[in-house]
Amino acid sequence: MRPRELWRTTPFRLTLFNGAVFALALMALLGLIYQQTAGYVSGQIDGIVTSEARNLAAGGAERLPERVTQAVASDTRHIEYYGLFSADGIWICGNVRTLPPNLPLDGAPREIRVPNLQPGSRALAERLPWGEILVVGHDALVLSGLRDIIVNALALSGGLILVLGLAAAAALSLRPLRRIDNLREASRAALQGELGVRLPVSRRRDEIDMLAGVANAMMDETERLLWEVKSVGENVAHDLRTPLNRLRALLWRVHQETKLAGPERAMIDQALAETDELLTRFRALQRIGEIERRDRQAFFAPVRLQSVLEHVIELHAPAAEDRGVELAADIAPDAPEVRADSTLLFEAVSNLVDNALKFTPEGGRVTVRLTTCADGPRIEVADNGPGVPAAERDVVLQRFYRAARARTEPGSGLGLSIVTAIARMHHFTLALEDARPGLRVALSCWPRGIDA
């Protein structure tokens, strides 16, 4: 799994968030422990400093220097500091040779900041009754050691929390990501038009399963409505073909057996033409329904597109000559084969060429081109006719829609709909582009991608 995908998952984020909250709580706890312990140790140091000062001063002034010197000598850990100064601040004895700055002579213990002492060290200075100044201090080695222990514990625990948090977040996210991948695969199939596919649902009945269940219910209803709409259109087309064929046969019989002339015969001819157009539309609707049912996907096989296009050009060459339109070919011989239904591809390209010839004026040119792109082969049918406005290039693919320029031409408005159904069946991409002048219809013959 990619880190970006892991970061997007809710379990990963929640685990990291909980780990961060736990780390902050641990830091706060250790900080509180240090604060309370530091206050307690400082109080103990204050008691030691005050007691030492009182003991030294209690023996009087005569042997005070001797007692200070002895106290310094007995400090084997080198954490006690003593200094005896004259009334005017001249050093007399002790291991403190200068009066600490900013230390009032009131006999109250205070924190002292001296380069050689640890942070948190305490000391007091007081003027004795006979005028001399006594300084007593205590180094905070215990406090600094405790601080180091807590800092090391924070660093070690923070690293462990980070590593374990990331590992736990990744482990908790892998299973949902796998389920999301399964949902993606099913969604891709649904987006490509496979109506029977449904999103997988596990036995856990968690929030992912709830969403999948709602999506499946929506897909069930969509499939039901879609098949109802399709069946209505196909049933109407099927049911009306028989009476329309009878009507056409009757009109043809009247046309052949009666001796009508003038306006009456013209009306019979017009009725025959209108009936033929209705039958053409119904046949096209049934053809679209047959293609969209995807009954023919099982017969897909490797298809050589060069052969398909050559047959299309051979079929339409006489019609192009009659219209005075040049039908040109630009077919790449190295285009790879595609897995498809050759009959349907022939029908799709044939419809595109027929449309191009229909709307290309006399003296124009229609080009059938086969190129090779990075993703696969691409079929193009381009003409130099009036083209299709950019605003109508999407809607002309809809059923029965006819562009303004095409309404004077015969047709059912279903030719491009059949091409669209064939492209969708193969998962190909159909695009209408500006040929400047004219229209270029491109059929990209590789499965279109679905964004994740």
Side-chain angles (χ1 to χ4, degrees), residues 146-381:
L146 177 64
R147 183 175 59 252
D148 292 340
I149 291 174
I150 291 179
V151 170
N152 292 334
L154 280 175
L156 180 61
S157 60
L160 289 176
I161 290 174
L162 178 62
V163 173
L164 294 177
L166 289 174
L172 292 174
S173 302
L174 288 178
R175 185 178 181 90
L177 277 177
R178 292 193 187 98
R179 297 176 64 193
I180 294 298
D181 286 339
N182 294 334
L183 295 178
R184 284 179 181 173
E185 292 299 325
S187 300
R188 287 191 182 98
L191 289 175
Q192 290 175 352
E194 296 183 16
L195 297 179
V197 71
R198 294 295 180 268
L199 303 183
V201 178
S202 68
R203 298 180 180 178
R204 302 174 62 180
R205 308 303 300 171
D206 56 8
E207 64 276 7
I208 297 179
D209 293 326
M210 294 171 62
L211 290 176
V214 172
N216 288 337
M218 290 170 27
M219 294 166 71
D220 289 338
E221 184 66 13
T222 301
E223 182 180 5
R224 184 186 67 81
L225 294 175
L226 183 60
W227 283 118
E228 284 184 0
V229 172
K230 286 185 175 182
S231 63
V232 167
E234 293 176 13
N235 291 336
V236 169
H238 181 271
D239 292 342
L240 290 182
R241 280 189 65 182
T242 299
L244 281 174
N245 282 323
R246 292 175 181 171
L247 175 62
R248 189 190 186 286
L250 179 61
L251 290 173
W252 179 253
R253 185 175 179 182
V254 171
H255 181 274
Q256 295 295 321
E257 297 182 2
T258 62
K259 298 181 180 180
L260 296 175
E264 292 83 0
R265 191 171 188 85
M267 287 188 290
I268 293 294
D269 292 339
Q270 183 178 358
L272 276 171
E274 294 291 342
T275 304
D276 288 338
E277 184 175 350
L278 284 174
L279 286 171
T280 300
R281 292 194 179 193
F282 286 144
R283 282 194 293 269
L285 283 174
Q286 288 182 311
R287 181 62 177 151
I288 292 174
E290 175 190 350
I291 295 171
E292 289 181 341
R293 281 195 297 271
R294 286 164 169 73
D295 295 336
R296 306 186 61 167
Q297 281 192 356
F299 302 99
F300 279 10
V303 175
R304 188 174 180 270
L305 296 178
Q306 293 88 338
S307 300
V308 174
L309 298 188
E310 289 169 359
H311 292 159
V312 170
I313 293 172
E314 182 180 356
L315 174 66
H316 289 276
E321 185 177 353
D322 292 341
R323 291 175 174 269
V325 176
E326 178 186 359
L327 181 58
D330 180 11
I331 300 175
D334 58 343
E337 293 182 344
V338 297
R339 185 169 181 80
D341 187 312
S342 59
T343 304
L344 292 180
L345 283 184
F346 177 87
E347 182 178 356
V349 180
S350 181
N351 278 340
L352 295 179
V353 174
D354 182 69
N355 276 346
L357 291 175
K358 185 185 301 183
F359 298 108
T360 301
E362 184 177 356
R365 177 186 176 94
V366 174
T367 303
V368 179
R369 182 176 293 110
L370 175 62
T371 61
T372 302
C373 303
D375 296 319
R378 173 183 165 105
I379 298 174
E380 296 179 359
V381 177

Side-chain angles (χ1 to χ4, degrees), residues 45-46 49-54 56-57 81-87 89 96 98-112 121-129 131-138:
I45 293 176
D46 288 348
V49 170
T50 303
S51 176
E52 287 289 331
R54 290 177 180 175
L56 290 174
Y81 294 89
Y82 304 94
L84 184 61
F85 300 87
S86 64
V96 178
T98 57
L99 281 173
N102 302 323
L103 187 60
L105 304 179
D106 57 359
R110 288 179 174 82
E111 183 176 357
I112 184 172
S121 299
R122 312 284 290 182
L124 63 81
E126 63 175 335
R127 188 178 294 276
L128 300 176
E132 293 177 333
I133 300 173
L134 178 63
V135 175
V136 178
H138 191 92

